[in-house]
Amino acid sequence: MTSNGTHTFNGNGVTKNGFHHNGKATNGEKNGCNENSTNEMSYSYEALQETADYLKNIIPLVPKVGIICGSGLGAYWHEGTLADALDQKTEVPYEVIPNFPPSTVKGHAGALVFGYLSDVPVVCMKGRFHYYEGYPLWKCAMPVRVMKLLGVTHLLATNAAGGLNPNYKVGDIMLVKDHINLMGFAGNNPLQGPNDERFGPRFPPMSQAYDRKLMNQAKKIANDLGLGGNIHEGVYTCLGGPNFETVAELRALKVLGADTVGMSTVHEVITARHCDLTVLAFSLITNECIVDYETQEMANHEEVLDVGKMRQVILQKFVGKIVDYISTSENQK
Ligand SMILES: O=P(O)(O)O[C@H]1O[C@H](CO)[C@@H](O)[C@H]1O
């Protein structure tokens, strides 16, 4: 335990279940992956149960809400992130958790942080897994299934995104009312491979992926926090990255109906809805997308991080109140 009361696990004595840090099996066994003859396609239910059991043994709470901290909400190691603000924290680095891939983005924190936010037990993913890191989508989204097995009922997925909608300004928040699964258009989906009905159905609907009641409440909360002029509802789309988009690509995305663009979230939400988690997601607009050839500025990751830090205090209040609402509205059922 550190002086601020945070428990951090170093994983002594923990086996990584046959996976190297690149997620490949090390001992020739199946190691928790359902495999067909050519590809690893998913983690088995049992492997994820083992991951959840490991965590249950070391954490003193049952998380109700899972929060994915995107680049705008403290995915990086710096002071004052949302995960830092939890009460009675227990921090578990990804590298000690059986079956977890390591986070490879430079400076990206890689830890599950358990604790209380607004007196509600939560788990924060401090740093997420992206497709551009070289992980398949099912691996990127695996922590969502682990959250489900831990007892989480609600997923709050946050991201940093470029604003395509000309009404959006840097620092604004867009509640995601829908997404366009562009990688799915190309046949890439986190639910590909064998389906285990214990998680969810083979063909899950995705027409109401984002919870309308939670979105309405989040808008009210934003208004109460004085964010009335900075809150929007729109459509998020995810490309694989890691390069930022060309002008022609951004113009095409606009025509398709996207309001923001990023490199995450969609596969996490699909996985969450598959296992029946209630989902709220929002984008922090960290840059305006450049849709003309005259502009000299270029999208860059430093700007994304700076805007995230600039907005972290208000975003934490926003998330704290949403979590409080989730717990009180559930209690009233
Ligand atoms: O979606 P999050 O993780 O918030 O991060 C966004 O910011 C990074 C680009 O700057 C990309 O990883 C993009 O997806």
Coordinates of all heavy atoms in Angstrom, one line a residue, residues 205-264:
P205 N -28.8 -7.6 -31.9 CA -29.2 -6.4 -32.5 C -28.3 -5.2 -32.1 O -27.6 -5.3 -31.0 CB -30.6 -6.2 -31.9 CG -30.6 -6.9 -30.6 CD -29.6 -8.0 -30.8
M206 N -28.2 -4.2 -32.9 CA -27.3 -3.1 -32.5 C -28.0 -1.7 -32.8 O -27.4 -0.7 -32.8 CB -26.0 -3.1 -33.4 CG -24.7 -2.8 -32.7 SD -24.4 -3.3 -31.0 CE -24.2 -5.1 -31.1
S207 N -29.4 -1.8 -32.9 CA -30.1 -0.6 -33.3 C -30.3 0.3 -32.1 O -30.6 1.5 -32.2 CB -31.5 -0.9 -33.9 OG -32.1 -1.9 -33.1
Q208 N -30.2 -0.2 -30.8 CA -30.3 0.7 -29.7 C -29.1 0.5 -28.8 O -29.3 0.2 -27.6 CB -31.6 0.4 -28.9 CG -32.8 0.8 -29.8 CD -34.2 0.8 -29.1 OE1 -34.2 0.6 -27.9 NE2 -35.2 0.9 -29.8
A209 N -28.0 0.6 -29.4 CA -26.8 0.3 -28.6 C -26.5 1.3 -27.5 O -26.0 0.9 -26.4 CB -25.6 0.3 -29.6
Y210 N -26.9 2.5 -27.7 CA -26.6 3.5 -26.7 C -27.9 3.9 -25.9 O -28.9 4.2 -26.5 CB -26.0 4.8 -27.4 CG -24.7 4.4 -28.1 CD1 -24.8 3.9 -29.4 CD2 -23.5 4.4 -27.4 CE1 -23.6 3.5 -30.1 CE2 -22.3 4.0 -28.1 CZ -22.4 3.6 -29.4 OH -21.2 3.2 -30.0
D211 N -27.8 3.8 -24.6 CA -29.0 3.9 -23.8 C -29.6 5.3 -23.8 O -29.0 6.3 -23.3 CB -28.7 3.5 -22.3 CG -29.9 3.4 -21.5 OD1 -30.6 2.3 -21.6 OD2 -30.2 4.3 -20.7
R212 N -30.8 5.4 -24.3 CA -31.5 6.8 -24.5 C -31.7 7.5 -23.1 O -31.4 8.7 -23.0 CB -32.8 6.5 -25.3 CG -33.7 7.7 -25.4 CD -33.1 9.0 -25.9 NE -32.3 9.0 -27.1 CZ -31.6 10.0 -27.5 NH1 -31.5 11.1 -26.8 NH2 -30.9 10.0 -28.7
K213 N -32.1 6.7 -22.1 CA -32.4 7.3 -20.8 C -31.1 7.9 -20.2 O -31.1 9.1 -19.7 CB -33.0 6.3 -19.9 CG -33.9 6.8 -18.8 CD -34.6 5.6 -18.2 CE -34.5 5.8 -16.7 NZ -34.4 4.6 -15.9
L214 N -30.1 7.2 -20.3 CA -28.8 7.7 -19.8 C -28.3 8.9 -20.6 O -27.7 9.9 -20.0 CB -27.7 6.6 -19.9 CG -27.6 5.6 -18.7 CD1 -26.4 4.7 -19.0 CD2 -27.4 6.4 -17.5
M215 N -28.5 8.9 -21.9 CA -28.1 10.1 -22.7 C -28.9 11.3 -22.3 O -28.3 12.4 -22.1 CB -28.4 9.8 -24.2 CG -27.4 8.9 -24.8 SD -27.7 8.5 -26.5 CE -27.5 10.1 -27.2
N216 N -30.2 11.1 -22.1 CA -31.0 12.3 -21.7 C -30.5 12.8 -20.4 O -30.4 14.0 -20.2 CB -32.5 11.9 -21.6 CG -33.1 11.7 -23.0 OD1 -32.5 12.1 -24.0 ND2 -34.2 11.0 -23.1
Q217 N -30.2 11.9 -19.4 CA -29.8 12.3 -18.1 C -28.4 13.0 -18.2 O -28.1 14.0 -17.6 CB -29.7 11.1 -17.2 CG -29.4 11.5 -15.8 CD -30.5 12.4 -15.1 OE1 -31.7 12.3 -15.5 NE2 -30.1 13.3 -14.2
A218 N -27.6 12.5 -19.1 CA -26.2 13.1 -19.2 C -26.3 14.5 -19.8 O -25.6 15.4 -19.4 CB -25.4 12.2 -20.2
K219 N -27.3 14.7 -20.6 CA -27.5 16.1 -21.1 C -27.9 17.0 -20.0 O -27.4 18.1 -19.9 CB -28.6 16.1 -22.2 CG -27.9 16.0 -23.6 CD -28.9 16.4 -24.7 CE -29.5 15.1 -25.2 NZ -30.5 15.3 -26.3
K220 N -28.8 16.5 -19.2 CA -29.3 17.4 -18.0 C -28.1 17.7 -17.1 O -27.9 18.8 -16.7 CB -30.3 16.6 -17.2 CG -31.7 16.6 -17.8 CD -32.7 16.3 -16.7 CE -34.1 16.0 -17.3 NZ -34.4 14.6 -17.2
I221 N -27.3 16.7 -16.9 CA -26.1 16.9 -16.0 C -25.2 17.9 -16.6 O -24.7 18.8 -15.9 CB -25.4 15.5 -15.8 CG1 -26.3 14.6 -14.9 CG2 -24.0 15.7 -15.2 CD1 -25.8 13.1 -14.8
A222 N -24.9 17.8 -17.9 CA -24.1 18.7 -18.6 C -24.6 20.1 -18.5 O -23.9 21.1 -18.2 CB -23.9 18.3 -20.1
N223 N -25.9 20.3 -18.6 CA -26.5 21.6 -18.5 C -26.3 22.1 -17.1 O -25.9 23.3 -16.9 CB -28.0 21.5 -18.8 CG -28.3 21.5 -20.3 OD1 -27.6 22.2 -21.0 ND2 -29.3 20.8 -20.7
D224 N -26.5 21.3 -16.1 CA -26.3 21.7 -14.7 C -24.9 22.1 -14.4 O -24.6 23.0 -13.6 CB -26.7 20.6 -13.7 CG -28.2 20.3 -13.7 OD1 -28.9 21.1 -14.3 OD2 -28.5 19.2 -13.2
L225 N -24.0 21.5 -15.1 CA -22.5 21.9 -14.9 C -22.1 23.1 -15.8 O -20.9 23.4 -15.9 CB -21.7 20.7 -15.3 CG -21.7 19.5 -14.3 CD1 -20.9 18.3 -14.9 CD2 -21.1 19.9 -13.0
G226 N -23.1 23.7 -16.5 CA -22.8 24.8 -17.3 C -22.2 24.5 -18.6 O -21.6 25.3 -19.3
L227 N -22.4 23.2 -19.1 CA -21.9 22.8 -20.3 C -22.9 22.8 -21.5 O -22.7 22.2 -22.5 CB -21.3 21.4 -20.2 CG -20.0 21.2 -19.4 CD1 -19.8 19.7 -19.1 CD2 -18.8 21.8 -20.1
G228 N -24.0 23.5 -21.2 CA -25.1 23.5 -22.1 C -24.8 23.8 -23.6 O -25.2 23.1 -24.5
G229 N -23.9 24.7 -23.8 CA -23.5 25.1 -25.1 C -22.4 24.1 -25.7 O -22.0 24.3 -26.9
N230 N -21.9 23.2 -24.9 CA -20.8 22.4 -25.3 C -21.2 20.9 -25.4 O -20.3 20.1 -25.5 CB -19.6 22.5 -24.3 CG -19.2 23.9 -24.1 OD1 -19.7 24.5 -23.1 ND2 -18.4 24.4 -25.0
I231 N -22.5 20.6 -25.3 CA -22.9 19.2 -25.4 C -23.7 18.9 -26.6 O -24.5 19.7 -27.0 CB -23.6 18.8 -24.1 CG1 -23.9 17.3 -24.0 CG2 -24.9 19.6 -23.9 CD1 -22.9 16.5 -23.2
H232 N -23.3 17.8 -27.3 CA -24.0 17.5 -28.5 C -24.4 16.0 -28.5 O -23.9 15.3 -27.6 CB -23.1 17.7 -29.7 CG -22.4 19.0 -29.7 ND1 -23.0 20.1 -30.2 CD2 -21.2 19.4 -29.3 CE1 -22.1 21.2 -30.1 NE2 -21.0 20.7 -29.5
E233 N -25.2 15.6 -29.4 CA -25.5 14.2 -29.6 C -25.1 13.9 -31.1 O -25.5 14.6 -32.0 CB -27.0 14.0 -29.5 CG -27.5 13.2 -28.4 CD -29.0 13.0 -28.5 OE1 -29.5 12.6 -29.5 OE2 -29.6 13.2 -27.5
G234 N -24.4 12.8 -31.3 CA -24.1 12.5 -32.7 C -23.6 11.1 -32.9 O -23.7 10.2 -32.1
V235 N -23.0 11.0 -34.1 CA -22.6 9.6 -34.6 C -21.1 9.6 -34.6 O -20.4 10.5 -35.2 CB -23.2 9.4 -36.0 CG1 -22.7 8.0 -36.6 CG2 -24.7 9.4 -36.0
Y236 N -20.6 8.5 -34.0 CA -19.1 8.3 -33.9 C -18.7 7.2 -34.9 O -19.5 6.3 -35.2 CB -18.7 7.8 -32.5 CG -17.3 7.4 -32.3 CD1 -16.3 8.4 -32.0 CD2 -16.9 6.1 -32.3 CE1 -15.0 8.0 -31.7 CE2 -15.6 5.7 -32.1 CZ -14.7 6.6 -31.8 OH -13.4 6.3 -31.6
T237 N -17.6 7.4 -35.6 CA -17.1 6.3 -36.4 C -15.6 6.0 -36.0 O -14.9 6.9 -35.6 CB -17.2 6.6 -37.9 OG1 -17.0 5.3 -38.6 CG2 -16.3 7.6 -38.4
C238 N -15.2 4.8 -36.2 CA -13.9 4.4 -35.8 C -13.1 3.8 -37.0 O -13.7 2.9 -37.7 CB -14.0 3.3 -34.7 SG -12.6 2.3 -34.5
L239 N -12.0 4.4 -37.3 CA -11.1 3.8 -38.3 C -10.0 3.0 -37.6 O -9.8 3.3 -36.4 CB -10.5 4.9 -39.2 CG -11.3 5.2 -40.5 CD1 -12.6 5.9 -40.1 CD2 -10.5 6.2 -41.4
G240 N -9.2 2.2 -38.3 CA -8.2 1.4 -37.6 C -7.0 2.2 -37.1 O -6.3 1.8 -36.2
G241 N -6.7 3.4 -37.8 CA -5.5 4.1 -37.4 C -4.3 3.3 -37.8 O -4.3 2.3 -38.4
P242 N -3.1 3.8 -37.4 CA -2.8 4.9 -36.5 C -2.7 6.2 -37.2 O -2.6 7.3 -36.5 CB -1.5 4.5 -35.9 CG -0.8 3.7 -37.0 CD -1.9 3.0 -37.7
N243 N -2.6 6.3 -38.5 CA -2.5 7.6 -39.1 C -3.9 8.3 -39.0 O -5.0 7.7 -39.0 CB -2.1 7.5 -40.6 CG -3.1 6.8 -41.5 OD1 -3.2 5.6 -41.5 ND2 -4.0 7.5 -42.2
F244 N -3.8 9.7 -38.9 CA -5.0 10.5 -38.9 C -5.5 10.5 -40.4 O -4.7 10.1 -41.3 CB -4.7 11.9 -38.4 CG -4.4 12.0 -37.0 CD1 -3.1 12.1 -36.5 CD2 -5.5 11.9 -36.1 CE1 -2.9 12.1 -35.1 CE2 -5.3 12.0 -34.7 CZ -4.0 12.1 -34.2
E245 N -6.7 10.9 -40.6 CA -7.4 10.7 -41.9 C -6.9 11.7 -42.9 O -6.5 12.8 -42.6 CB -8.9 10.8 -41.7 CG -9.4 9.8 -40.7 CD -9.1 10.1 -39.3 OE1 -9.0 11.3 -39.0 OE2 -9.0 9.2 -38.5
T246 N -7.1 11.3 -44.2 CA -6.8 12.3 -45.3 C -8.1 13.2 -45.4 O -9.2 12.9 -44.9 CB -6.6 11.6 -46.6 OG1 -7.9 10.9 -47.0 CG2 -5.5 10.5 -46.6
V247 N -7.9 14.3 -46.1 CA -9.0 15.2 -46.4 C -10.2 14.4 -47.1 O -11.3 14.5 -46.7 CB -8.5 16.4 -47.2 CG1 -9.7 17.2 -47.7 CG2 -7.6 17.2 -46.4
A248 N -9.8 13.7 -48.1 CA -10.9 13.0 -48.9 C -11.6 11.9 -48.0 O -12.8 11.8 -48.1 CB -10.2 12.3 -50.1
E249 N -10.8 11.3 -47.1 CA -11.5 10.3 -46.2 C -12.5 11.0 -45.3 O -13.6 10.6 -45.0 CB -10.4 9.6 -45.4 CG -9.7 8.5 -46.2 CD -8.4 8.0 -45.5 OE1 -7.9 8.6 -44.5 OE2 -7.8 7.1 -46.1
L250 N -12.0 12.2 -44.7 CA -12.9 12.9 -43.8 C -14.2 13.4 -44.5 O -15.3 13.3 -44.0 CB -12.1 14.1 -43.2 CG -11.0 13.6 -42.2 CD1 -10.1 14.7 -41.9 CD2 -11.6 13.0 -40.9
R251 N -14.0 13.8 -45.7 CA -15.2 14.3 -46.5 C -16.1 13.1 -46.7 O -17.3 13.3 -46.6 CB -14.7 14.9 -47.8 CG -14.0 16.2 -47.7 CD -13.6 16.8 -49.1 NE -13.0 18.1 -48.9 CZ -12.6 18.8 -50.0 NH1 -12.7 18.3 -51.2 NH2 -12.1 20.0 -49.8
A252 N -15.5 12.0 -47.0 CA -16.4 10.8 -47.2 C -17.1 10.4 -46.0 O -18.3 10.0 -46.0 CB -15.5 9.6 -47.7
L253 N -16.4 10.5 -44.8 CA -17.1 10.1 -43.5 C -18.3 11.1 -43.2 O -19.3 10.7 -42.7 CB -16.1 10.2 -42.4 CG -14.9 9.1 -42.5 CD1 -13.9 9.3 -41.4 CD2 -15.5 7.7 -42.4
K254 N -18.1 12.3 -43.6 CA -19.1 13.3 -43.4 C -20.4 12.9 -44.2 O -21.5 12.9 -43.7 CB -18.7 14.7 -43.9 CG -18.1 15.5 -42.8 CD -17.7 16.9 -43.3 CE -18.6 18.0 -42.8 NZ -18.0 19.3 -43.0
V255 N -20.1 12.5 -45.4 CA -21.2 12.1 -46.3 C -22.0 10.9 -45.7 O -23.2 10.8 -45.8 CB -20.7 11.8 -47.8 CG1 -21.8 11.3 -48.6 CG2 -20.2 13.1 -48.4
L256 N -21.2 10.0 -45.1 CA -21.8 8.8 -44.5 C -22.6 9.2 -43.3 O -23.4 8.3 -42.8 CB -20.7 7.9 -44.1 CG -20.0 7.0 -45.2 CD1 -19.0 6.1 -44.6 CD2 -21.1 6.2 -45.9
G257 N -22.4 10.3 -42.7 CA -23.2 10.7 -41.5 C -22.5 10.7 -40.2 O -23.1 10.8 -39.2
A258 N -21.2 10.7 -40.3 CA -20.4 10.7 -39.0 C -20.2 12.1 -38.5 O -20.0 13.0 -39.3 CB -19.1 10.0 -39.2
D259 N -20.3 12.3 -37.2 CA -20.0 13.6 -36.6 C -18.7 13.7 -35.9 O -18.1 14.7 -35.7 CB -21.1 13.9 -35.5 CG -22.5 14.0 -36.1 OD1 -22.7 15.0 -36.9 OD2 -23.3 13.2 -35.9
T260 N -18.2 12.5 -35.5 CA -16.8 12.4 -34.9 C -16.1 11.2 -35.5 O -16.8 10.2 -35.9 CB -16.8 12.4 -33.4 OG1 -17.6 11.2 -32.9 CG2 -17.4 13.6 -32.7
V261 N -14.8 11.3 -35.4 CA -14.0 10.1 -35.9 C -12.9 9.9 -34.9 O -12.2 10.8 -34.4 CB -13.4 10.4 -37.3 CG1 -12.6 11.6 -37.4 CG2 -12.6 9.2 -37.8
G262 N -12.7 8.6 -34.6 CA -11.6 8.2 -33.7 C -11.1 6.8 -34.1 O -11.3 6.3 -35.2
M263 N -10.4 6.2 -33.2 CA -9.8 4.8 -33.5 C -10.1 3.8 -32.4 O -9.3 3.0 -32.0 CB -8.3 5.0 -33.6 CG -7.8 6.1 -34.6 SD -6.0 6.4 -34.5 CE -5.9 7.9 -35.4
S264 N -11.3 4.0 -31.8 CA -11.6 3.0 -30.6 C -13.1 2.9 -30.5 O -13.9 3.2 -31.4 CB -11.0 3.6 -29.3 OG -11.7 4.8 -28.9

